[in-house]
């Protein structure tokens, strides 16, 4: 008797399909969510998964990718709507056996199920006799999309290459490209997967307390140290520590970090006892650490210790082939969060998305999808739900000068700027304009930093980092 896992959140539909399959001599276990399905698959053996594409905590595509990574011979059939057929075809490229559309035709379902099980049986017979390999059960990468572009495939290959080692990894990439997700994926495919994953935003660490946050302190080590504190390195023992925006660490903390990497020991602030640590370090930055080390801002020896293997987080504009994967993932997430049922994007919106450069990368795409889902009243996102700057190139140039502080937007280079300034000056001009804008908004808000961060469309920790960077504190 074949064992089938049915993943469908519509309980009425699920009950009908389950009853029908059981009457045809299949054993069926039903569940409603991706995570529940993964837990069940880790404890029991199944021959087939039948999963709805749209699920409360993810998509059938995510479950497909996870299942193929952990149980390669397990067949998957997706249930989808006609509007999702393009997605279903992509799913077949990723290893799905077939897709069936709602409303389900019972005869079609039964025939597809039998065909998939027959195909699996033929695969098993064709396999040469060999020792069964142990399957590494890995926690799913929440929010991580592998993609199918050439760049994405190369990145995934490198992740799988470096993950089983204990090399320190440096993840480089622009803001919003998902560097933390890449780091989590390395951890999940490593020998440390059962240990903790501790993520630290070095840009948000207070300069005077960064050493204490990372390495801990003993009671009385400094004013305000009222008790012993366990640092992040000690908390990550046996696992992985992810240091985002590593270039923001002060020189003194860099020395402590270098010692921790070299000797695999830490000493709490104010303490005299050394603590052994077993931690893998993954660092990330959107800064040029090579130039910083040359300028004496970042220690060159620390840079080489961290950079045993480099990965590059790909800007969204360079992986447009994966745009649909990201859009549908963010769409499902926004529907769940906002209690909406938006089914997709209009053809006009798709064209806008493919023509846009996405300077804010995945973070920008996620926010725009969430906003559009909130504003949409139909079953698809239309052009009217998008910010003007996505499709109106004259939006920033043509609008009148604001009387209040403007919302921070990327400042497009004009023809006069392009002709009058050499390429190496662009970064300097950008920094000057950004600094001036922050100063102006701070003055307009009477130096209310929370309000300033909201107006500039950035979180507070980013604002604090820029205030320090530009000496505006």
């Amino acid at each position: 008797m074949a064992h089938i896992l049915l993943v469908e959140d519509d309980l009425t539909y699920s009950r009908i399909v389950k009853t029908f399959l059981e009457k045809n001599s299949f054993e069926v276990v039903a569940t409603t969510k991706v995570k529940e399905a993964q837990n069940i698959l880790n404890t029991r053996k199944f021959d087939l998964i039948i999963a709805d594409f749209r699920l409360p905590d993810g998509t059938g595509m995510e479950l497909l990718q996870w299942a193929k990574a952990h149980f390669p011979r397990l067949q998957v059939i997706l249930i989808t709507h006609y509007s999702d057929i393009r997605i279903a075809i992509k799913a077949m490229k990723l290893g799905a056996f077939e897709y069936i559309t709602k409303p389900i035709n019972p005869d079609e379902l039964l025939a597809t199920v039998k065909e998939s099980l027959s195909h699996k049986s033929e695969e098993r017979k064709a396999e040469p006799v060999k020792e069964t390999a142990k399957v590494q059960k890995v926690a799913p990468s929440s929010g991580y999309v592998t993609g199918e572009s050439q760049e994405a495939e190369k990145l995934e290959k490198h992740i799988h290459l470096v993950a089983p080692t204990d090399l320190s990894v440096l993840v480089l990439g622009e803001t919003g490209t998902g560097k933390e997700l890449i780091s989590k994926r390395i951890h999940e495919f490593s020998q440390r997967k059962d240990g903790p994953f501790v993520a630290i935003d070095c840009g948000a660490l207070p300069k005077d307390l960064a050493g204490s946050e990372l390495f801990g302190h003993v009671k009385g080590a400094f004013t305000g140290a009222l008790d012993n504190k366990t640092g992040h390195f000690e908390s990550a023992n046996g696992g992985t520590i992810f240091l985002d925006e590593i270039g923001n660490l002060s020189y003194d903390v860099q020395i402590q970090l270098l010692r921790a990497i070299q000797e695999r020991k830490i000493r709490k602030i104010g303490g005299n006892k050394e603590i052994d640590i077993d931690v893998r370090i993954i660092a990330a930055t959107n800064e040029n650490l090579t130039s910083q080390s040359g300028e004496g801002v970042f220690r060159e020896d620390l840079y080489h210790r961290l950079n045993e293997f480099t990965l590059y987080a790909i800007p969204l504009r360079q992986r447009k082939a994966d745009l649909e994967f990201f859009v549908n993932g963010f769409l499902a997430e926004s529907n769940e969060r906002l209690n909406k049922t938006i089914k997709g994007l209009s053809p006009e919106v798709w064209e806008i998305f493919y023509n846009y450069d996405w300077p804010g990368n995945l973070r920008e795409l996620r926010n725009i999808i969430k906003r559009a889902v909130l504003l949409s009243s139909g079953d698809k996102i239309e052009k009217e739900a998008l910010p003007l700057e996505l499709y109106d190139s004259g939006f920033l140039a043509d609008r009148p000068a604001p009387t209040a502080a403007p919302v921070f937007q990327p400042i497009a280079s004009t023809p006069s700027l392009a002709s009058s300034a050499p390429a190496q000056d662009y970064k300097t001009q950008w920094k000057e304009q950004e600094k001036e804008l922050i100063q102006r908004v701070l003055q307009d808000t009477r130096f209310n930093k929370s309000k300033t961060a909201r107006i500039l469309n950035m979180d507070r920790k980013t604002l604090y980092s820029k205030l320090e960077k530009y000496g505006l504190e």
Side-chain angles (χ1 to χ4, degrees), residues 97 106-116:
F97 177 77
D107 293 334
E108 179 190 3
L109 172 63
L110 184 59
T112 306
V113 167
K114 289 181 176 179
E115 186 180 357
S116 68

Short mmCIF file of all heavy atoms in Angstrom, two decimals, residues 97 106-116:
data_model
loop_
_atom_site.label_atom_id
_atom_site.label_comp_id
_atom_site.label_asym_id
_atom_site.label_seq_id
_atom_site.Cartn_x
_atom_site.Cartn_y
_atom_site.Cartn_z
N PHE A 97 6.68 15.98 -10.14
CA PHE A 97 6.30 15.00 -11.15
C PHE A 97 5.24 15.58 -12.09
O PHE A 97 5.31 15.40 -13.31
CB PHE A 97 5.77 13.73 -10.48
CG PHE A 97 5.31 12.70 -11.47
CD1 PHE A 97 6.22 11.94 -12.17
CD2 PHE A 97 3.95 12.53 -11.74
CE1 PHE A 97 5.80 11.01 -13.11
CE2 PHE A 97 3.52 11.62 -12.68
CZ PHE A 97 4.44 10.85 -13.37
N PRO A 106 -11.54 13.86 -10.36
CA PRO A 106 -11.14 12.64 -9.65
C PRO A 106 -10.37 11.65 -10.52
O PRO A 106 -9.37 11.07 -10.07
CB PRO A 106 -12.46 12.04 -9.17
CG PRO A 106 -13.40 13.20 -9.11
CD PRO A 106 -12.99 14.11 -10.23
N ASP A 107 -10.81 11.46 -11.74
CA ASP A 107 -10.13 10.51 -12.63
C ASP A 107 -8.72 10.98 -12.96
O ASP A 107 -7.77 10.18 -13.01
CB ASP A 107 -10.94 10.34 -13.93
CG ASP A 107 -12.26 9.64 -13.68
OD1 ASP A 107 -12.35 8.89 -12.69
OD2 ASP A 107 -13.21 9.86 -14.46
N GLU A 108 -8.57 12.29 -13.18
CA GLU A 108 -7.25 12.85 -13.47
C GLU A 108 -6.34 12.68 -12.27
O GLU A 108 -5.16 12.32 -12.40
CB GLU A 108 -7.37 14.33 -13.82
CG GLU A 108 -6.02 15.00 -14.11
CD GLU A 108 -6.12 16.50 -14.22
OE1 GLU A 108 -7.22 17.06 -14.03
OE2 GLU A 108 -5.07 17.14 -14.48
N LEU A 109 -6.87 12.94 -11.07
CA LEU A 109 -6.08 12.80 -9.85
C LEU A 109 -5.60 11.36 -9.68
O LEU A 109 -4.41 11.11 -9.45
CB LEU A 109 -6.92 13.22 -8.64
CG LEU A 109 -6.30 12.94 -7.27
CD1 LEU A 109 -5.01 13.73 -7.09
CD2 LEU A 109 -7.28 13.27 -6.15
N LEU A 110 -6.52 10.41 -9.83
CA LEU A 110 -6.17 9.00 -9.62
C LEU A 110 -5.12 8.54 -10.65
O LEU A 110 -4.15 7.86 -10.30
CB LEU A 110 -7.43 8.13 -9.71
CG LEU A 110 -7.24 6.64 -9.41
CD1 LEU A 110 -6.68 6.45 -8.01
CD2 LEU A 110 -8.56 5.89 -9.57
N ALA A 111 -5.30 8.96 -11.89
CA ALA A 111 -4.36 8.56 -12.93
C ALA A 111 -2.98 9.17 -12.67
O ALA A 111 -1.95 8.49 -12.84
CB ALA A 111 -4.88 9.02 -14.30
N THR A 112 -2.94 10.42 -12.25
CA THR A 112 -1.66 11.08 -11.99
C THR A 112 -0.94 10.44 -10.81
O THR A 112 0.27 10.23 -10.83
CB THR A 112 -1.88 12.59 -11.71
OG1 THR A 112 -2.61 13.16 -12.79
CG2 THR A 112 -0.55 13.31 -11.56
N VAL A 113 -1.71 10.10 -9.75
CA VAL A 113 -1.13 9.45 -8.57
C VAL A 113 -0.53 8.10 -8.96
O VAL A 113 0.61 7.78 -8.61
CB VAL A 113 -2.19 9.28 -7.46
CG1 VAL A 113 -1.69 8.33 -6.38
CG2 VAL A 113 -2.53 10.63 -6.85
N LYS A 114 -1.28 7.30 -9.68
CA LYS A 114 -0.79 5.97 -10.08
C LYS A 114 0.44 6.07 -10.98
O LYS A 114 1.38 5.30 -10.86
CB LYS A 114 -1.91 5.19 -10.79
CG LYS A 114 -3.02 4.73 -9.85
CD LYS A 114 -4.07 3.94 -10.60
CE LYS A 114 -5.13 3.39 -9.65
NZ LYS A 114 -6.20 2.64 -10.36
N GLU A 115 0.41 7.06 -11.88
CA GLU A 115 1.53 7.24 -12.80
C GLU A 115 2.80 7.64 -12.03
O GLU A 115 3.89 7.15 -12.31
CB GLU A 115 1.19 8.31 -13.84
CG GLU A 115 2.25 8.45 -14.92
CD GLU A 115 1.89 9.53 -15.94
OE1 GLU A 115 0.79 10.12 -15.83
OE2 GLU A 115 2.73 9.80 -16.82
N SER A 116 2.66 8.55 -11.05
CA SER A 116 3.82 8.99 -10.28
C SER A 116 4.41 7.85 -9.46
O SER A 116 5.63 7.71 -9.36
CB SER A 116 3.43 10.15 -9.36
OG SER A 116 2.56 9.72 -8.33
#
